[in-house]
Amino acid sequence: MNALGRRIAAAIRQAGPISVATYMAAALGDPEHGYYTRRQPIGLSGDFITAPEVSQIFGELLGLWCAATWELMGRPPRAVLVELGPGRGTLMADALRAMAAVPAMCAAVEIHLVETSPTLRAVQAETLRGIPVRWCERLAEVPDAPLLLLANELFDALAVRQFQRGLTGWHERLIALTADGAGFRFVLSPLAVPESGMGAPVSVAGAPLQSIVEVCPGGLALAQEIGERVARAGGAALIVDYGTATTRLHETLQAVRRHGSHPVLAAPGEADLAAHVDFGALAAAARRAGAITLGPIEQGVFFGALGIAERLTALERGATPAQRAALRSGAARLTDPGQMGSLFKVLAIAHPALTDLPGLPRPC
Ligand SMILES: C[S@@+](CC[C@H](N)C(=O)[O-])C[C@H]1O[C@@H](n2cnc3c(N)ncnc32)[C@H](O)[C@@H]1O
């Protein structure tokens, strides 16, 4: 067992099995040994690759989306441009390069990066060298002003609780020690949990035996906070991630290391842990807070509507054959349904006046 595993094991010996959310939060965010605390895991030499690292067009089109949305907001003279979980800072760098086409907007926005990892903050500072950005730990620390917010693959990293349907009702899936104390295993809470205590986004009363439902309390709270902000101060947020439009009754928690699957309970802090995002639940939480929501729609459809083909053609002009091939394969990876185009979705949370946002269907 590694150092973080020994610490988690000691906590289980002292107080009993822990929730999946407690395990996931420690594995990703432990201040000493957490996965994101110590690593820069994104890229070919890391554990996984994300859309901004696949193609510069991803960040560029999101930057233009922000500029167009700022216009629709009535060109506020002061606004905050926020990114949640900025990784290597690539998305923000590409977005700002595209936004330079709208100097009045660049002059109006203060840039805030919400990032918990000191290691990734240092990488972001390097990527965004010379650009005035501020870092904070939580969205609540960002000044209350008209908001433009981007979050790519942040919500999948927020801890989920899991509940499993048994004969006597729903039981929380917990993590206990194996019989020899050398590893971890899943167990079920002995007592059933009332459905009202699960925080499930939809009624799961009719679910078949053995169904598993995942609930992401941190994600729902964040969607609610974003909803309250845009309803109060104006603006819009764009959440991009992999997941489903409605709540599904199966487990999606997975661990990834070196671009491959890894056992979820092995070597905590040494592999990425993530769960699919329930976009319907996020949207409902934001609407309850007074915002409107647009989408979710598939990433491929969204970028098609934003003009990825035209941007690709423009970039291909003057590119070498090798660069052209790389540009095309990057754009295809973002949009092909068999790659990232379908599993990844885009949801906007917006002030009720912003019913027509670029690339998104009007709210119904
Ligand atoms: C999967 S990476 C995505 C990075 C980037 N958005 C991209 O697309 O390349 C998740 C990012 O969220 C950050 N992160 C994880 N949990 C966080 C939290 N609770 N608050 C803010 N940032 C968090 C990580 O440090 C990392 O920067």
Side-chain angles (χ1 to χ4, degrees):
M1 230 186 239
N2 62 23
L4 181 56
R6 288 196 295 278
R7 189 181 296 172
I8 295 171
I12 292 174
R13 272 191 204 97
Q14 198 177 14
I18 57 172
S19 70
V20 171
T22 302
Y23 179 88
M24 189 174 171
L28 293 180
D30 179 84
E32 205 181 342
H33 302 292
Y35 179 73
Y36 282 114
T37 316
R38 302 186 323 158
R39 278 184 179 68
Q40 190 303 90
I42 308 161
L44 284 179
S45 59
D47 289 329
F48 58 87
I49 192 129
T50 55
E53 309 297 333
V54 165
S55 170
Q56 67 185 78
I57 302 177
F58 184 84
E60 289 170 350
L61 291 185
L62 293 190
L64 293 177
W65 184 91
C66 287
T69 301
W70 177 76
E71 301 272 355
L72 292 167
M73 287 158 63
R75 301 168 64 95
R78 180 178 175 238
V80 285
L81 173 61
V82 179
E83 187 180 351
L84 305 180
R88 290 166 46 151
T90 308
L91 191 171
M92 185 55 81
D94 291 340
L96 291 172
R97 199 174 54 252
M99 280 177 211
V102 188
M105 184 213 176
C106 296
V109 295
E110 259 174 33
I111 303 164
H112 295 262
L113 303 180
V114 180
E115 174 59 73
T116 45
S117 158
T119 306
L120 285 167
R121 280 187 188 200
V123 177
Q124 291 151 22
E126 191 56 37
T127 307
L128 298 166
R129 191 198 286 257
I131 297 169
V133 298
R134 296 173 201 185
W135 280 270
C136 51
E137 292 268 322
R138 283 175 296 279
L139 178 60
E141 294 166 33
V142 174
D144 207 16
L147 177 72
L148 287 158
L149 182 147
L150 299 172
N152 183 59
E153 287 205 45
L154 176 275
F155 281 79
D156 67 70
L158 302 180
V160 292
R161 295 175 74 184
Q162 292 183 333
F163 300 90
Q164 185 170 323
R165 183 75 192 250
L167 282 171
T168 54
W170 289 92
H171 296 260
E172 181 153 12
R173 273 185 114 201
L174 303 172
I175 292 166
L177 289 173
T178 52
D180 63 2
F184 300 106
R185 67 192 168 104
F186 288 106
V187 295
L188 291 181
S189 66
L191 292 180
V193 183
E195 201 188 318
S196 59
M198 290 164 50
V202 294
S203 172
V204 286
L209 271 180
Q210 307 298 330
S211 301
I212 291 180
V213 65
E214 290 174 337
V215 179
C216 182
L220 296 174
L222 189 52
Q224 178 182 332
E225 187 180 354
I226 294 169
E228 281 164 3
R229 265 195 182 241
V230 294
R232 184 177 61 240
L238 208 54
I239 297 168
V240 187
D241 222 309
Y242 48 95
T244 50
T246 55
T247 305
R248 296 289 165 92
L249 295 173
H250 57 77
E251 177 180 26
T252 69
L253 180 65
Q254 58 174 352
V256 168
R257 195 176 181 184
R258 303 214 174 89
H259 302 271
S261 156
H262 183 81
V264 167
L265 298 183
E270 294 179 33
D272 184 33
L273 282 180
H276 284 203
V277 170
D278 180 345
F279 281 97
L282 297 187
R287 285 196 300 267
R288 279 195 298 274
I292 59 167
T293 57
L294 298 85
I297 62 166
E298 293 183 356
Q299 175 171 290
V301 175
F302 177 72
F303 280 96
L306 288 191
I308 192 167
E310 292 76 5
R311 181 67 189 137
L312 180 61
T313 306
L315 284 172
E316 279 180 344
R317 274 185 226 119
T320 63
Q323 287 168 333
R324 267 203 294 277
L327 284 164
R328 277 184 202 171
S329 80
R333 192 160 169 189
L334 294 184
T335 53
D336 274 1
Q339 300 193 65
M340 299 172 86
S342 184
L343 177 61
F344 281 73
K345 314 242 171 359
V346 180
L347 171 74
I349 298 174
H351 182 275
L354 296 172
T355 53
D356 276 308
L357 291 177
L360 290 157
R362 286 172 65 90
C364 17

